[in-house]
Amino acid sequence: MRIAVFIENRNGVGLTSRLLSAPGSEDCSFLLVTADLDGDVGRWIDEEASARLDGTRVRNLFREEESLGHAQFLEDIGPRVSEFVRTESIDRLILFNDRSQRGSRVADALNGTLPVVLVQDGHLDFHYKKLGPGLRDQNWYYGSTDPAAVCVWGPATAHHLLYRTADADPVVHITGALGHSDDPDLVRAAHNPAPRPARPAREPLRIIVLDQPLGDQRKLPAGRHREYLKSACEALTEFGEVAIKPHPSTLSGHLEWLGTLPGVTVLDESTLVDATGLEAFDLAVTFFSTTYLQTLRAGVPLVLFSPPPLNIVFPAVNHALLRNVGSVGELVDVVGQLHTTGKFAGNNTGEPLTHYLTFRDDVAERIITVVKEAKVRGPRSGSAPDPAPLTPVGTRAERALRAVRDRQAPPRSLAVLGLGFGYVTGVAIPVLTYTQALLARSPVDVRYIDLSAYCRTEDVLEALRDIDVVLINSLAPLWRSAIGNELVDELVSDGRRVFLYAHETEHVMAYEAEHHTLRHKEMLRLLPQVQVLCVSTAQADMFRGLGVTDPVVVYNTVPQDAHRTRARTVPDEQPRIVMVGSMQDRKGLDLFSRVAELAHTEGLPWRFAWIGHRTPRIASSTLISDRVTWAGALSRARVREELAASDVFLLSSVDDPMPLSVVEAVQQRLRVVTYRRVGSHEVLDSVPGYRSFADYTPQAAFEALRAVLGERVSEDDYREVEELFDIPAFTARMTAALGLPGPGDVPRPRAAGDAESTGTADDDAYGDPRTVIPQQLRHIIDDFKRHATAGNVEDALRVGTEILRRRQPVDVLIGMAELRAARNETKEACRLLAAAAIAGGDRGRVWAEIARVSALLGARGRAIRQIARKESIRAQVSHHSARLRKTD
């Protein structure tokens, strides 16, 4: 098979080199082609090809000496690539961008004549503050040339392509990103963000600004781009050294202007800034860019700056090293905190990174498979002849019911509420896995709301105002968030559809009832008013006892790994028994240790290992045996390796509704032993290869281990259990329970007046790119003083409002009142002064400040000023008298 690859830039050469070395590419011959007239693009590609492709030549459809105008050049690309394909007998063509000037001509010329496969080469999931009726950014139209197949990074892009318009019908494959999805460093940074130690507090920061050609790309007028870039650089120089790295495609005029900026260093635009190069900096700043992948690898915090006039914005990703800001003032706040405390205030709300980037280690192989299997797309349904009438299916009654159901529009948006959306604990894993699968298969707009990022119920309700279905992930938000129960009460009172996906056990319920008694009682009152989704039938029975009338059992799921090594079918001569979970008493530390001691006493050559981080929830009487290898926390890939090297998975937990670790053990065909009261028992009972113990004692667990080592795993039964927890099966159950559109459902057009897109990732609801980040109050007060002193009134008011939502410090109340008075906002200034008068503090000084500010309020402030002067004198006299009495 002869495959052509159309390349437009250096990055395309790197992606091609990975495809050429992928498994499955050996029986294919690759021809690399580009289109360039002025010589720069061709030269860049030749340099990169000589370094990466071991001498492989890149064919240029044009000769540099040809005297063609730009318009004629673009017009000739289509005929020339068609001739190239014909003369070289090309069977397939790979393209990285079908919306660029060159790529769109290639796609238009070849679609319909041979399979064209579009491979995503950069981050495309940008959002827009406003969607007008005119043309949008070219990223929105990516994949609109109707290629034979599109290979995308993650479910967000797949969702956008599938439901961008009502008649969208692309062939989309979620393959992951070449060079990113299979990078262990990036996987580690995504799942376990551990920022490198920052420079000591108050030391100058080393800051790099990664500029973008916003003016050249017509995303922002050149003058406005330079205005905000200059303001940002001036603000950043207060905190350290600033370097600007222009984009490689930046034109000479902008490069000359950058050289005029005072106090900054301009780097060579042609230099590629990778993770190694970024390690020399403490902070990176950009507008929107795929550079975030390199900053994550390097462990360098990145601020994504979206000035107000910039319509296209980078989405808020829930990660400790990424932060979205919407103004220079917000940028100063974040950098100021990093400079003062050494800590970076990253996003703690927004979508997880896996929403945009699927991680797997066989990306290139998957893409090659898609290319080989791609077929030329037929004419669109709109131009096809009318199909023959279909024969009615089902009885009359069934057809009548179907006709009624077809008139119903299922919910189109889902908000997941929780406390964190990471892969560190098992609570978030099932819902994240589900929402990724849902995005890739259904016309549903999915959003993530982290309640820890909000201080007021009103703010959450505002974020949920256009959401159809609300899914609360676990009971934790109702116990640990001050606004959790109040929020649910408001949602239920408004008649909103609220679901609770429960993960809790009886042990956890008892613990929280003791430690959060009032919130627990309020939660019990609300439970019967929401639909509860459970991970096991035993858990559903527990909720029935709490007053829930009809809990639904949906079980759970785990992410699919590309390669799952099966455990050995026959136990080793020295069988290895493993447990995966955090080290705490509920997980059965004492039992596991005593079983290991018992096996040693019996003279058995059994080896015991525990994988998981140590927690403080370990009693002084708990045995931590030396007969156990305590491996600590390991990466997901390492855990898979440890499971494959073991013979039995011993879940020693005394209370676990449906542990994900058992599901992973089943996937790798380990023998499994659990306590009978955990949720795994109900799905594994009577399956060969599984044993349970009815008495929670070391002897009972030991006997179950001895028994299971003597039998073989049933492949058929284990496969049936695996399918129960498989992602498609779980997605179908959860989707049915929530009443959302399922796979294959056609998105219905919105009613007149609704937003023009159907649940796409760039709805107008994403207009505000900022996230609410709780910080220590003293740092926010420092931000307020900094802005007020510098005369940045809007930023001072913004920060001051955030402070007053939490507490009411007198200095901030006075400062806000002065700012409001200066803007002739008399009523609001008076309210702030009244709050300051009753807030406490040094009464003499407070009243003196009120008198000073009231002088700015004109006639209305005269009476206030007189009262304040009298109260100030009275306070001073009282204070002086008290000192005299104390002296006597």
Side-chain angles (χ1 to χ4, degrees):
M1 180 177 292
R2 293 173 65 80
I3 301 174
V5 185
F6 185 75
I7 300 175
E8 297 185 74
N9 50 40
R10 294 176 185 267
N11 188 43
V13 177
L15 300 178
T16 303
S17 67
R18 294 180 181 274
L19 293 176
L20 266 59
S21 59
S25 63
E26 304 86 0
D27 56 347
C28 303
S29 58
F30 291 84
L31 288 83
L32 281 54
V33 62
T34 189
D36 181 49
L37 191 62
D38 57 19
D40 287 342
V41 174
R43 176 172 51 80
W44 295 339
I45 291 175
D46 283 337
E47 292 173 354
E48 195 71 15
S50 62
R52 286 179 172 266
L53 300 178
D54 195 23
T56 302
R57 177 170 171 252
V58 181
R59 186 88 58 87
N60 191 346
L61 298 175
F62 294 83
R63 301 187 310 275
E64 291 187 19
E65 62 271 14
E66 291 187 61
S67 56
L68 296 176
H70 184 67
Q72 185 62 45
F73 162 70
L74 295 177
E75 185 177 336
D76 284 359
I77 290 177
R80 296 200 187 196
V81 76
S82 298
E83 178 64 18
F84 170 80
V85 165
R86 185 186 64 80
T87 57
E88 297 293 343
S89 301
I90 300 298
D91 301 302
R92 303 280 193 277
L93 183 130
I94 297 174
L95 189 66
F96 298 113
N97 189 348
D98 70 337
R99 297 312 307 167
S100 65
Q101 289 186 337
R102 296 171 173 87
S104 60
R105 267 73 177 184
V106 172
D108 290 339
L110 299 182
N111 276 326
T113 61
L114 85 166
V116 175
V117 178
L118 182 61
V119 178
Q120 183 179 347
D121 70 333
H123 185 98
L124 298 174
D125 301 290
F126 300 107
H127 297 157
Y128 302 88
K129 297 175 184 175
K130 294 181 180 179
L131 286 179
L135 292 176
R136 303 169 189 167
D137 184 84
Q138 71 174 29
N139 291 297
W140 194 90
Y141 298 96
Y142 186 86
S144 62
T145 56
D146 201 24
V150 188
C151 298
V152 299
W153 284 14
T157 310
H159 183 265
H160 175 69
L161 297 182
L162 288 167
Y163 306 110
R164 173 173 48 202
T165 59
D167 61 346
D169 186 31
V171 178
V172 181
H173 301 267
I174 301 177
T175 58
L178 284 166
H180 300 306
S181 294
D182 50 2
D183 186 335
D185 292 335
L186 188 57
V187 174
R188 190 180 307 111
H191 288 169
N192 299 297
R196 69 184 189 191
R199 306 191 99 185
R202 304 289 181 179
E203 282 199 12
L205 298 173
R206 297 163 300 185
I207 304 171
I208 182 170
V209 178
L210 303 166
D211 191 23
Q212 296 287 316
L214 302 182
D216 301 339
Q217 296 174 354
R218 299 181 181 178
K219 292 181 172 64
L220 200 65
R224 301 305 301 278
H225 172 208
R226 295 177 181 180
E227 173 189 342
Y228 280 101
L229 183 60
K230 181 180 180 180
S231 299
C233 290
E234 289 176 348
L236 292 174
T237 53
E238 176 186 348
F239 305 104
E241 304 170 3
V242 178
I244 296 181
K245 165 61 176 64
H247 192 272
S249 62
T250 303
L251 299 180
S252 57
H254 187 68
L255 291 176
E256 293 174 0
W257 176 83
L258 289 176
T260 65
L261 290 176
V264 300
T265 302
V266 181
L267 305 178
D268 185 1
E269 73 279 3
S270 62
T271 303
L272 296 178
V273 180
D274 55 10
T276 303
L278 287 167
E279 289 177 353
F281 297 94
D282 302 303
L283 178 71
V285 180
T286 190
F287 296 98
F288 59 92
S289 173
T290 310
T291 306
Y292 75 97
L293 298 173
Q294 301 297 346
T295 60
L296 288 179
R297 286 185 177 94
V300 176
L302 174 67
V303 178
L304 295 145
F305 173 41
S306 175
L310 183 61
N311 192 40
I312 184 172
V313 296
F314 193 91
V317 177
N318 191 337
H319 198 282
L321 289 175
L322 301 175
R323 175 66 189 269
N324 293 62
V325 300
S327 68
V328 175
E330 291 181 8
L331 175 64
V332 170
D333 293 346
V334 175
V335 181
Q337 180 174 345
L338 178 63
H339 176 255
T340 303
T341 67
K343 297 179 180 179
F344 181 72
N347 294 330
N348 65 352
T349 188
E351 291 83 358
L353 184 57
T354 48
H355 183 105
Y356 304 103
L357 186 63
T358 295
F359 291 101
R360 49 172 54 110
D361 57 6
D362 59 344
V363 179
E365 183 178 357
R366 286 173 179 261
I367 293 176
I368 291 296
T369 301
V370 170
V371 172
K372 289 181 176 180
E373 297 176 353
K375 296 180 180 179
V376 176
R377 300 291 304 277
R380 287 179 177 265
S381 57
S383 59
D386 295 335
L390 299 176
T391 304
V393 178
T395 65
R396 286 181 172 83
E398 291 171 343
R399 295 202 301 271
L401 176 61
R402 193 182 309 121
V404 174
R405 285 177 174 170
D406 287 344
R407 294 179 61 86
Q408 297 177 342
R412 296 169 300 192
S413 55
L414 168 69
V416 183
L417 270 65
L419 294 177
F421 296 100
Y423 284 86
V424 178
T425 63
V427 173
I429 289 177
V431 75
L432 288 175
T433 305
Y434 165 66
T435 51
Q436 290 179 56
L438 179 67
L439 280 169
R441 297 180 173 91
S442 304
V444 179
D445 176 19
V446 180
R447 304 181 196 173
Y448 304 83
I449 305 293
D450 189 335
L451 285 188
S452 65
Y454 293 86
C455 304
R456 302 191 311 166
T457 303
E458 296 88 337
D459 295 333
V460 187
L461 291 173
E462 176 65 19
L464 298 174
R465 70 183 186 278
D466 58 347
I467 293 294
D468 298 322
V469 175
V470 177
L471 174 62
I472 305 170
N473 188 41
S474 90
L475 291 169
L478 308 184
W479 286 318
R480 296 171 195 152
S481 171
I483 63 174
N485 286 306
E486 180 185 352
L487 173 65
V488 174
D489 200 7
E490 290 282 350
L491 292 171
V492 171
S493 299
D494 290 344
R496 305 287 290 275
R497 297 186 58 185
V498 182
F499 294 80
L500 170 70
Y501 184 31
H503 303 265
E504 282 68 27
T505 64
E506 293 181 9
H507 177 92
V508 174
M509 296 284 281
Y511 176 87
E512 297 294 346
E514 179 183 352
H515 290 79
H516 297 99
T517 306
L518 295 179
R519 291 180 186 175
H520 183 76
K521 289 182 178 179
E522 181 66 14
M523 182 269 295
L524 293 179
R525 183 186 69 81
L526 293 170
L527 271 181
Q529 303 178 55
V530 301
Q531 179 65 66
V532 178
L533 310 179
C534 300
V535 297
S536 69
T537 56
Q539 188 190 51
D541 291 339
M542 179 185 73
F543 278 103
R544 288 190 184 94
L546 297 174
V548 177
T549 57
D550 188 24
V552 178
V553 179
V554 294
Y555 295 109
N556 51 18
T557 189
V558 295
Q560 287 181 335
D561 295 311
H563 301 292
R564 294 195 296 254
T565 305
R566 298 287 182 89
R568 45 185 169 258
T569 57
V570 178
D572 190 74
E573 293 181 357
Q574 296 181 340
R576 188 171 190 260
I577 294 95
V578 67
M579 165 66 180
V580 179
S582 57
M583 294 176 62
Q584 57 176 298
D585 286 339
R586 183 175 67 85
K587 297 289 186 179
L589 269 177
D590 189 79
L591 179 90
F592 195 86
S593 293
R594 295 188 186 279
V595 171
E597 293 289 343
L598 186 56
H600 178 73
T601 302
E602 294 285 334
L604 296 173
W606 294 358
R607 297 169 294 154
F608 290 81
W610 185 298
I611 302 169
H613 67 283
R614 189 185 184 105
T615 74
R617 297 180 181 178
I618 303 175
S620 58
S621 59
T622 300
L623 175 64
I624 307 294
S625 174
D626 292 337
R627 309 294 176 190
V628 178
T629 300
W630 305 100
L634 300 178
S635 66
R636 182 175 179 80
R638 282 290 311 281
V639 172
R640 287 295 201 185
E641 294 173 3
E642 295 293 327
L643 289 176
S646 302
D647 299 289
V648 183
F649 185 89
L650 171 57
L651 182 81
S652 52
S653 300
V654 65
D655 188 26
D656 231 328
M658 189 59 71
L660 300 179
S661 54
V662 172
V663 178
E664 295 179 331
V666 167
Q667 291 176 342
Q668 294 189 247
R669 301 303 187 260
L670 267 78
R671 295 162 181 81
V672 177
V673 173
T674 76
Y675 180 39
R676 186 165 296 178
R677 291 188 60 187
V678 302
S680 305
H681 177 75
E682 70 184 55
V683 296
L684 284 168
D685 188 27
S686 74
V687 172
Y690 169 76
R691 283 285 191 275
S692 65
F693 47 98
D695 299 325
Y696 193 75
T697 63
Q699 185 64 44
F702 174 78
E703 294 299 334
L705 275 174
R706 190 197 296 270
V708 83
L709 281 168
E711 68 181 27
R712 297 179 68 91
V713 167
S714 170
E715 175 63 28
D716 292 339
D717 289 326
Y718 263 52
R719 185 185 303 112
E720 185 177 343
V721 173
E722 181 181 5
E723 290 172 353
L724 174 66
F725 296 94
D726 201 14
I727 294 175
F730 176 73
T731 301
R733 291 194 300 271
M734 182 69 88
T735 297
L738 297 176
L740 296 169
D745 290 352
V746 177
R748 293 172 174 80
R750 290 181 182 264
D754 284 356
E756 60 180 303
S757 57
T758 306
T760 62
D762 43 293
D763 272 351
D764 196 38
Y766 290 98
D768 188 354
R770 296 171 293 177
T771 55
V772 184
I773 306 296
Q775 302 176 30
Q776 294 186 27
L777 192 63
R778 67 175 185 274
H779 301 318
I780 309 182
I781 293 177
D782 289 343
D783 294 338
F784 174 76
K785 292 178 179 178
R786 181 188 298 114
H787 290 309
T789 303
N792 300 326
V793 177
E794 292 296 336
D795 290 311
L797 290 174
R798 171 181 56 81
V799 176
T801 301
E802 183 62 31
I803 295 171
L804 297 182
R805 286 177 177 177
R806 307 177 190 188
R807 298 182 187 175
Q808 295 192 338
V810 173
D811 288 346
V812 176
L813 287 168
I814 296 293
M816 289 284 285
E818 186 172 3
L819 293 174
R820 295 292 185 189
R823 298 177 59 155
N824 295 321
E825 297 175 2
T826 306
K827 183 177 180 180
E828 186 62 29
C830 289
R831 289 176 58 190
L832 291 164
L833 291 177
I838 62 176
D842 182 345
R843 305 311 302 155
R845 190 180 72 85
V846 171
W847 282 111
E849 287 295 300
I850 292 175
R852 180 182 63 81
V853 175
S854 61
L856 304 175
L857 299 177
R860 187 169 181 178
R862 292 193 190 115
I864 299 176
R865 188 180 184 190
Q866 290 176 359
I867 295 172
R869 281 180 170 178
K870 292 179 180 179
E871 291 297 330
S872 175
I873 294 172
R874 180 182 301 172
Q876 291 175 20
V877 170
S878 299
H879 178 68
H880 185 64
S881 300
R883 291 184 62 185
L884 290 176
R885 286 195 299 270
K886 185 176 181 180
T887 303
D888 294 342

